[in-house]
Amino acid sequence: MPRVKLTDAAVQRIKPPTREARQVDYWDQHLGSFGLRVSYNGTKAWVVQPRALSKGKWTPTRVTLGRYPALSLADARQKAKDALRLASEGKNPRDALKADKARLEDESRNTFDVLADDFLAKYVKRKGLEAKTLREYERTLKGADVAAWRDKPISSIGKRDVHDLLDTIVDRGSPIAANRTLAYLRRFFNWCVERDVISAAPTDRVKQPSKDNRRERVLSNAEIPEVWAAFEAETGLFGPLFKLLLLTGQRRDEVSGARWDEFRSLEGDNPVWEIPGERTKNDLRHIVPLVPQAVEILKAVTRVEDSPFVFTTTGETYVSGLSKPKERVDTFIAERRTKAGISEAIPHWTLHDLRRTVSTRMHEDLGIQPHIVEAVLNHISGHKAGVAGNYNRALYLTEKRRALEAWANHIDKLLGRLPQTNIVELRPAVGATSE
């Protein structure tokens, strides 16, 4: 058992022993219990041999720290010092190494992606959360924003990683989406803490990156023709999709995910769109009467063979990623204003604001009664909320059709397509205003 001054150069120079000798231990001159075991087949392994307490006696205990060169000399020497310290405290260093190994194995299993799957199956789906919330959890935990986290041990994801992720989302112009991402991540990481997978959540004490203001944006009657013209200029599927958002007042996911089998009597006198409960926010089946303008748009959409979806490019899924076509719409409006000599930009608006515009204009410009507007939008509030809602299951199909016809004709009037005498309007409510 030779003693040598173990250096990187010395370790590299050491040759394997003969087959007869099988293996030789080279002990470090500086740290006596630390050494390098060299086998005849060329394997080199770091070892330490402290006196450890076992069954009431201090006995020499050989511990293998790792192989060279995977484990460097500096790291091996530090591990040896740690083992000697543990042994001096009456602890068995072998147990500590086994615990470290088990921890590493556990971390390799507990990646962000694996735990995200567990969370979706054991928490989100078991909770029976609504379909939209499930989609938001899946978008947050399985989407492109967290792609770099997927194979990382969840214990290695820190607060800095969370802040970097939120900053990226804010920088691309989606501050509210960043707030929601934080909320979903916080619930996920807290669940991991509850399951004792991690000791602390990296989302703890992370503040919302943006102020969650209540949105009030409504397109004015002067802005609606501008927006509609931009929809007209948007070729492909997105122009018709955006028009239907404004004509029907339905939610973005409901329109973009529309299926051909949801539409009835497109060639008849009373066409309707029947959205099943699994696709609505309140899980209730919703019937939307279709006005001629909406039917015309649907008939003009090129149908992808064997696909159930109205708005699809692949045939397998409905379109997503509406931010880029929305940007093109905004660019069209800005360029058109510039050509007209208008320096003021249109105030910021979102696709969801189209739904709020339908509601507001129906109330204020057309005098449609609030409960009919709620029925059009499939809102469960006001007269249909709580106990009253258990008894009030009226579909108001006739009233909804009249309201949507009035709204579509109001748009046509703003676009200059209808003379005043042909407009279908309901009697304005008291105190109603118009622009």
Side-chain angles (χ1 to χ4, degrees):
M1 294 189 295
R3 286 194 173 275
V4 298
K5 183 178 181 180
L6 288 177
T7 63
D8 288 319
V11 171
Q12 293 176 22
R13 287 195 301 267
I14 294 176
K15 303 296 182 183
T18 62
R19 182 180 289 271
E20 292 74 20
R22 295 193 62 80
Q23 60 190 23
V24 176
D25 293 336
Y26 293 85
W27 297 102
D28 187 26
Q29 291 179 353
H30 175 67
L31 189 62
S33 300
F34 170 60
L36 181 72
R37 170 167 286 186
V38 183
S39 301
Y40 72 92
N41 61 5
T43 300
K44 297 178 180 179
W46 302 109
V47 295
V48 66
Q49 188 167 296
R51 296 179 67 84
L53 185 61
S54 177
K55 298 180 181 179
K57 295 183 179 180
W58 296 90
T59 56
T61 303
R62 185 185 295 269
V63 179
T64 301
L65 302 172
R67 290 188 176 184
Y68 174 85
L71 182 63
S72 69
L73 170 60
D75 290 340
R77 181 173 276 119
Q78 184 58 52
K79 278 194 169 187
K81 292 178 180 178
D82 293 339
L84 292 170
R85 176 182 54 79
L86 288 171
S88 68
E89 295 171 354
K91 301 173 184 177
N92 193 324
R94 283 181 177 173
D95 294 339
L97 287 174
K98 287 179 182 178
D100 285 344
K101 184 178 180 181
R103 177 181 54 79
L104 292 173
E105 291 172 351
D106 197 44
E107 286 182 350
S108 70
R109 287 192 300 269
N110 289 333
T111 62
F112 178 87
D113 202 40
V114 168
L115 287 165
D117 286 336
D118 275 354
F119 174 74
L120 291 171
K122 296 176 181 178
Y123 177 82
V124 178
K125 293 178 180 177
R126 286 181 185 176
K127 282 278 187 180
L129 302 178
E130 63 182 37
K132 181 179 180 182
T133 302
L134 173 59
R135 289 194 297 270
E136 286 299 308
Y137 270 116
E138 289 177 339
R139 177 192 61 78
T140 301
L141 300 177
K142 308 295 286 186
D145 287 329
V146 295
W149 292 5
R150 286 175 184 160
D151 295 328
K152 294 180 67 172
I154 196 166
S155 59
S156 70
I157 298 173
K159 190 173 293 187
R160 176 64 180 271
D161 297 304
V162 173
H163 279 295
D164 288 345
L165 172 65
L166 298 177
D167 288 342
T168 298
I169 298 174
V170 171
D171 290 344
R172 68 167 179 249
S174 303
I176 303 303
N179 291 347
R180 292 173 181 166
T181 295
L182 174 59
Y184 289 120
L185 285 177
R186 178 172 283 126
R187 175 63 270 187
F188 165 67
F189 283 116
N190 286 344
W191 179 85
C192 292
V193 172
E194 292 165 6
R195 292 290 181 112
D196 205 27
V197 178
I198 52 178
S199 58
T203 49
D204 283 352
R205 294 185 297 280
V206 174
K207 296 180 180 179
Q208 280 194 164
S210 305
K211 187 176 181 180
D212 225 343
N213 292 322
R214 181 174 178 265
R215 291 179 177 175
E216 300 287 351
R217 180 73 165 100
V218 173
L219 296 180
S220 70
N221 283 327
E223 291 170 336
I224 288 174
E226 288 189 275
V227 170
W228 190 272
F231 293 168
E232 292 274 12
E234 181 63 30
T235 59
L237 294 173
F238 295 105
L241 192 160
F242 292 165
K243 289 179 185 177
L244 285 178
L245 285 173
L246 185 57
L247 277 171
T248 66
Q250 303 312 302
R251 295 179 176 88
R252 184 176 62 182
D253 287 347
E254 293 167 355
V255 176
S256 59
R259 303 168 69 100
W260 287 114
D261 60 7
E262 295 172 356
F263 296 98
R264 310 274 190 270
S265 304
L266 290 183
E267 302 294 341
D269 294 332
N270 295 298
V272 296
W273 174 21
E274 185 174 330
I275 310 174
E278 58 266 24
R279 289 216 312 111
T280 63
K281 185 176 182 179
N282 56 22
D283 298 323
L284 297 177
R285 180 178 66 108
H286 180 44
I287 298 178
V288 183
L290 293 173
V291 297
Q293 295 90 329
V295 172
E296 181 182 353
I297 291 170
L298 285 168
K299 287 182 176 180
V301 174
T302 301
R303 189 163 185 169
V304 176
E305 187 176 0
D306 297 327
S307 176
F309 300 108
V310 176
F311 300 106
T312 180
T313 54
T314 65
E316 300 295 327
T317 60
Y318 60 85
V319 294
S320 59
L322 304 186
S323 58
K324 288 186 177 180
K326 170 58 167 57
E327 288 176 7
R328 292 195 294 267
V329 165
D330 290 334
T331 299
F332 179 90
I333 295 172
E335 292 176 349
R336 198 175 187 206
R337 284 194 169 202
T338 299
K339 289 179 182 178
I342 302 173
S343 58
E344 183 181 356
I346 187 171
H348 175 72
W349 63 280
T350 69
L351 292 176
H352 184 73
D353 294 331
L354 298 178
R355 179 173 166 86
R356 186 179 298 105
T357 297
V358 175
S359 175
T360 302
R361 296 286 160 227
M362 278 187 171
H363 278 114
E364 296 185 357
D365 296 354
L366 305 178
I368 298 172
Q369 296 181 20
H371 68 281
I372 301 302
V373 177
E374 287 186 1
V376 167
L377 301 179
N378 196 22
H379 273 166
I380 300 298
S381 60
H383 77 294
K384 294 188 77 172
V387 176
N390 293 331
Y391 298 96
N392 192 341
R393 297 300 186 191
L395 295 178
Y396 299 116
L397 286 178
T398 300
E399 293 86 350
K400 288 195 295 186
R401 185 175 297 280
R402 290 188 65 204
L404 285 166
E405 286 173 350
W407 170 240
N409 288 340
H410 181 73
I411 293 176
D412 279 348
K413 172 191 173 185
L414 297 174
L415 298 177
R417 294 176 178 175
L418 282 181
Q420 180 71 30
T421 54
N422 289 343
I423 296 175
V424 177
E425 287 188 348
L426 305 182
R427 184 169 59 86
V430 175
T433 60
S434 60
E435 293 181 24

